[in-house]
Amino acid sequence: MGQTLVVLKRLSSGLASGVAGVFKTVGLFFVDFALFLFNLLTPDRKKGAVIPKGCPGYGGKWPEYVPPQAGDSRCSCPALNALANHGILPHNGRDISFKDLNTVVRQSYNFSPTFCKFVPSYAANMLSRDYNTDFFDLADLDAHNCIEHDASLCRLDVHEEPDQGKIAHELVERLLTRGTGPNGNLTKKDLSRLLGERRVEAKRANPKYSQAFIHKMFGSSNSSTLLTIFGGQIDDIRTILTEERIPDGWEPRIRHRMGLTILEFNNTVLPVELGVKEEVDGSINVAGRERYDAVQKK
Ligand SMILES: *[C@@H]1O[C@H](CO)[C@@H](O)[C@H](O)[C@H]1NC(C)=O
Ligand SMILES: *[C@@H]1O[C@H](CO)[C@@H](O)[C@H](O)[C@H]1NC(C)=O
Ligand SMILES: *[C@@H]1O[C@H](CO)[C@@H](O)[C@H](O)[C@H]1NC(C)=O
């Protein structure tokens, strides 16, 4: 009897927190929609005035860039590493609160408050930490297949390179030379193509390759950040990916007052993901089979 009660209690509290979670997420998307409308109805911030006054990067003046030193924590995300390299996040990349991450990413990259809440909450959840009270090191974000995943455009798979903070210069170089837009800028089609190639290549080479649907969406989201916040502009993207530095005078290319909302972001993410030909024609599956056959032959 007593045990049944415990089970019931646990069930009901589990259910309650599940329901609360759904309400929170639905609430967040509702707010996101409101911000999306607000952005539509209000004029963008003026060029040169995207970063709020008093914040690092205001007027294009970013704090001094210092490359990471031995012992500094870095992760697979060039944009977050850049914030640490400029000392906007702690330079050692350690003891960052999820709440501060929200604020700093919003001020520096002009993602919407909803996006900046969603992603650190997701990360906190993944790491079984509390968004409101807990801290993390940048490298903690690289728990495999939480957010970090295979077939990165700028990192070798963790199977080959356990340190996901390390820039894979060959991959980055490939990305930088494949833009077909004006001046070699990157377009949605370019990124779909590059993602497809990388997934096939990684799946062929990596016996531990995995890519869940959510990670495909994350991958397309990274690519979409290059297209939105960085405007596809290859010179800026070169600096951020090869040095993890924010270019002098740079500001986010999204100038909306409420930043890049989740809804607007999806407008880029979905076409990029749906444009991955290898997923549509099934050649991604062939890549897996080829590796399997090769192993069998040995
Ligand atoms: C997207 O970012 C995550 C986290 O930084 C990384 O692990 C992943 O490989 C990236 N995906 C692509 C396609 O670059
Ligand atoms: C392409 O890139 C150049 C240099 O990075 C930039 O000046 C230009 O505005 C970009 N064009 C488009 C259409 O984004
Ligand atoms: C946007 O995409 C994310 C995944 O990237 C998804 O969780 C969310 O439901 C989408 N939101 C909207 C409002 O379309």
Side-chain angles (χ1 to χ4, degrees):
M1 185 66 206
Q3 248 176 2
T4 321
L5 212 67
V6 171
V7 169
L8 278 178
K9 251 192 199 157
R10 289 187 59 189
L11 262 181
S12 64
S13 79
L15 206 64
S17 77
V19 169
V22 168
F23 268 116
K24 260 192 216 156
T25 310
V26 170
L28 190 80
F29 285 140
F30 199 74
V31 174
D32 190 75
F33 183 64
L35 298 182
F36 174 82
L37 289 182
F38 183 89
N39 280 339
L40 273 184
L41 298 173
T42 53
D44 277 352
R45 289 186 209 147
K46 290 207 180 70
K47 268 195 185 152
V50 177
I51 303 286
K53 209 170 179 167
C55 294
Y58 174 72
K61 288 194 190 64
W62 295 93
E64 191 195 352
Y65 163 86
V66 180
Q69 312 293 305
D72 287 349
S73 182
R74 290 294 182 269
C75 66
S76 55
C77 174
L80 292 185
N81 291 343
L83 292 176
N85 291 340
H86 285 274
I88 303 169
L89 287 173
H91 193 273
N92 66 6
R94 295 183 192 277
D95 299 320
I96 301 164
S97 85
F98 290 99
K99 277 178 133 176
D100 285 347
L101 180 67
N102 173 337
T103 312
V104 165
V105 167
R106 184 161 45 78
Q107 291 171 346
S108 309
Y109 291 125
N110 201 27
F111 279 104
S112 69
T114 38
F115 186 95
C116 292
K117 176 79 197 290
F118 185 70
V119 177
S121 307
Y122 186 90
N125 211 6
M126 276 290 176
L127 295 171
S128 306
R129 293 185 201 170
D130 185 334
Y131 168 82
N132 287 302
T133 53
D134 284 343
F135 296 79
F136 66 95
D137 295 348
L138 285 176
D140 295 345
L141 297 177
D142 288 343
H144 187 50
N145 277 344
C146 289
I147 293 176
E148 188 281 318
H149 56 263
D150 289 335
S152 168
L153 296 176
C154 51
R155 298 291 188 265
L156 298 173
D157 285 358
V158 69
H159 174 66
E160 207 176 326
E161 174 53 79
D163 179 3
Q164 286 290 301
K166 230 186 218 168
I167 304 171
H169 286 282
E170 261 178 46
L171 291 178
V172 169
E173 237 10 84
R174 186 197 301 176
L175 172 71
L176 293 174
T177 51
R178 298 292 285 282
T180 60
N183 297 312
N185 293 358
L186 288 164
T187 67
K188 288 183 194 168
K189 282 203 174 117
D190 296 333
L191 281 155
S192 298
R193 198 158 20 80
L194 284 156
L195 283 172
E197 278 179 30
R198 259 304 275 158
R199 287 180 196 170
V200 166
E201 172 184 79
K203 195 164 182 176
R204 277 205 187 116
N206 176 358
K208 297 219 171 110
Y209 179 82
S210 68
Q211 186 95 272
F213 175 71
I214 184 84
H215 297 127
K216 291 180 189 166
M217 295 307 289
F218 286 161
S220 308
S221 299
N222 302 354
S223 313
S224 299
T225 303
L226 299 179
L227 296 174
T228 51
I229 302 296
F230 290 92
Q233 307 222 357
I234 208 69
D235 295 335
D236 295 338
I237 292 174
R238 175 171 294 113
T239 308
I240 197 90
L241 294 186
T242 59
E243 298 173 67
E244 306 198 323
R245 173 167 76 76
I246 303 175
D248 293 332
W250 184 84
E251 69 175 7
R253 301 291 163 184
I254 297 286
R255 290 187 281 115
H256 307 328
R257 281 166 200 268
M258 287 296 142
L260 180 60
T261 58
I262 301 173
L263 190 60
E264 183 185 354
F265 193 51
N266 278 1
N267 241 338
T268 307
V269 176
L270 293 178
V272 166
E273 180 57 40
L274 296 176
V276 177
K277 167 176 85 47
E278 289 80 353
E279 297 283 354
V280 179
D281 68 14
S283 43
I284 185 81
N285 300 323
V286 176
R289 227 172 297 134
E290 280 169 0
R291 177 169 45 72
Y292 180 79
D293 291 345
V295 171
Q296 296 298 306
K297 262 188 219 146
K298 271 188 201 161

